[in-house]
Amino acid sequence: MRSGDGCTENIRPGEKDGATRGPTTSPDQPAPQLARVILTIALLGYLSVTVVNLVGVDHSTFALTASLIGMVLIFLLQLRHSSATARRAPTWQKWVTLGTQALLTYLPIAAFHSQWGAMAGFLAGSLLLLLPGRRAWFAYGAVGISMLIPPVMERLPLREAFYLCQSTLLTGLVVYGLSRMAELVRALHDTRVELTRMAVTQERLRFARDLHDLLGYSLSAITLKSELIHRLVPTHPGRAMDEISDVLAISRQSLADVRTVASGLRGLSLEQELGSAQSLLSAADVKVRATIRLGKIGQRVDTVLAAVLREAITNLLRHSRAGVCDIEAIQEGGLVRLSVSNDGVDPAYRDSSPHSGSGLGNLETRLRAVSGRLSIARGADGTFRLTAEAPAHLIGGVPDVDDDIYAQDSAA
């Protein structure tokens, strides 16, 4: 998602964060309004059949006017029955509207006979839409069979009776199908909108996590080294110049991190972060004891564990007065365990700032995404231990599909 130019690009659900983006609706997918228009046109088309049948026979002006009013009422009732709200209406309300439509369907048959029979298809469709289960299909069939009666009473050929029955059942299915299609298109549209909102929310959370993990560490390092430079300038200007070079390098890397974080392809290396952590802690006069036994690690897991190490070192520098820090990164039996502990935590410490951070929560989210887990232990003597465990390579339900992408980005 980009919003710097005042517009927002929607992200397709299911795609990788920061990967391909595109519109949330396809131009060849019918919108809810179009589906409703198709339904309305189909209903008007069936009404026109009845109009042609009535006009083709000699009827009085009063009868034709009454039939037109009846067709308009049936049309309005059918539009209501074809809406999603009608399916959720109280049972008594359904029976009232269905009863009204049944009266408007069968009473005019006494005057117009078979010419009015096309209206029965609407009633058959409404019964399928509003009645539950088997009762709907039984009532639907009963309406179709009832249309055998008018042609027989008029002594019309048997084929006319069959035609009216068959056309009634077919009309009912068309009305039912188009009504359900309009409802399903609306549900699909609403679902896609909700999925788009969720995708945008996930992208924002990812962006916030990446910024926190990348910049929190870098800014802490810059602050620490700047304080060290301030102390070294009067007495050790040569070493101060070396530290300034380090600050410039960290600053440039931070700028590059900010530019790449939006793409979601930022890869980290645990081994590289271990070296940076030891250098940074040494500059802060913290004694480092490191135990590192690592083999080949999947790039996604490598990136997540590197982010865990960054957050652990950032918290150590911000929230503790550690003199000794133990770092263990051990790979055994397909499992990688990273442990960071220090001896400088104040048991009474509480971060009272309004934005005290969500780093540990971010790490838990990242580790769960690679089938890992995070544990924290605080000792009464002021010790603090953070341990992260994850499989060295993702298999099964969480394939390590991003290794090549992350590797390319890390190499860049």
Side-chain angles (χ1 to χ4, degrees), residues 82-410:
S82 296
S83 66
T85 55
R87 295 170 59 85
R88 298 189 295 266
T91 302
W92 68 266
Q93 196 174 103
K94 293 179 182 178
W95 283 113
V96 168
T97 56
L98 283 173
T100 303
Q101 187 174 7
L103 290 175
L104 292 172
T105 299
Y106 285 106
L107 289 180
I109 290 179
F112 301 109
H113 308 295
S114 298
Q115 290 84 23
W116 191 259
M119 293 293 95
F122 289 178
L123 177 61
S126 294
L127 291 170
L128 287 178
L129 289 168
L130 299 187
L131 293 186
R134 294 181 179 178
R135 283 196 292 173
W137 290 102
F138 177 80
Y140 160 80
V143 170
I145 294 173
S146 70
M147 288 299 103
L148 293 171
I149 299 175
V152 171
M153 293 182 64
E154 295 177 63
R155 299 183 183 277
L156 296 175
L158 187 60
R159 67 174 180 272
E160 296 292 337
F162 173 78
Y163 170 77
L164 186 56
C165 174
Q166 183 265 351
S167 63
T168 297
L169 295 176
L170 181 60
T171 301
L173 286 178
V174 172
V175 169
Y176 172 75
L178 289 178
S179 301
R180 292 292 290 150
M181 182 194 73
E183 185 177 341
L184 290 174
V185 169
R186 166 60 66 183
L188 174 63
H189 180 269
D190 293 344
T191 300
R192 289 175 65 84
V193 169
E194 185 61 28
L195 287 175
T196 300
R197 289 174 181 162
M198 292 174 61
V200 171
T201 300
Q202 291 297 321
E203 176 72 354
R204 288 172 177 167
L205 290 174
R206 181 199 65 77
F207 197 88
R209 285 196 303 267
D210 286 354
L211 281 180
H212 181 279
D213 294 342
L214 294 171
L215 295 186
Y217 177 86
S218 300
L219 293 177
S220 296
I222 291 172
T223 301
L224 177 67
K225 286 187 173 289
S226 297
E227 292 174 349
L228 179 61
I229 292 169
H230 184 266
R231 296 196 303 268
L232 290 175
V233 167
T235 57
H236 299 83
R239 185 183 171 189
M241 291 297 297
D242 293 338
E243 295 295 339
I244 289 175
S245 299
D246 289 346
V247 170
L248 289 174
I250 295 172
S251 300
R252 293 190 184 102
Q253 184 59 53
S254 299
L255 180 60
D257 290 344
V258 171
R259 289 172 175 170
T260 59
V261 70
S263 69
L265 304 179
R266 174 63 184 169
L268 302 174
S269 169
L270 178 57
E271 290 192 0
Q272 292 179 4
E273 291 304 321
L274 285 168
S276 299
Q278 293 183 66
S279 174
L280 184 60
L281 291 173
S282 297
D285 295 328
V286 177
K287 181 180 179 181
V288 181
R289 297 186 298 221
T291 303
I292 302 172
R293 294 198 301 272
L294 294 174
K296 183 173 176 57
I297 304 174
Q299 188 60 50
R300 287 184 63 191
V301 176
D302 202 16
T303 296
V304 170
L305 292 178
V308 171
L309 180 60
R310 277 194 169 197
E311 180 64 22
I313 300 304
T314 300
N315 287 342
L316 184 152
L317 295 174
R318 291 179 58 193
H319 306 320
S320 74
R321 300 179 180 85
V324 178
C325 177
D326 292 310
I327 301 176
E328 290 184 355
I330 301 175
Q331 181 177 347
E332 293 178 342
L335 190 70
V336 181
R337 183 177 71 254
L338 172 66
S339 176
V340 181
S341 61
N342 69 83
D343 61 351
V345 175
D346 183 358
Y349 172 80
R350 295 291 184 275
D351 193 345
S352 58
S353 64
H355 304 288
S356 56
S358 56
L360 296 180
N362 289 344
L363 296 183
E364 289 179 340
T365 300
R366 287 176 177 270
L367 283 166
R368 281 197 300 269
V370 294
S371 303
R373 63 188 183 92
L374 182 72
S375 61
I376 297 170
R378 292 181 174 86
D381 56 349
T383 59
F384 178 87
R385 186 180 186 88
L386 181 148
T387 303
E389 292 181 336
H393 299 276
L394 300 182
I395 58 175
V398 191
D400 202 359
V401 294
D402 292 338
D403 280 3
D404 293 339
I405 298 176
Y406 277 107
Q408 292 169 8
D409 184 72
S410 297

Side-chain angles (χ1 to χ4, degrees), residues 50-71 112 116:
T50 303
V51 172
V52 171
N53 289 337
L54 293 175
V55 172
V57 180
D58 187 19
H59 291 292
S60 66
T61 304
F62 174 79
L64 290 176
T65 303
S67 67
L68 181 60
I69 294 173
M71 282 188 286
F112 301 109
W116 191 259

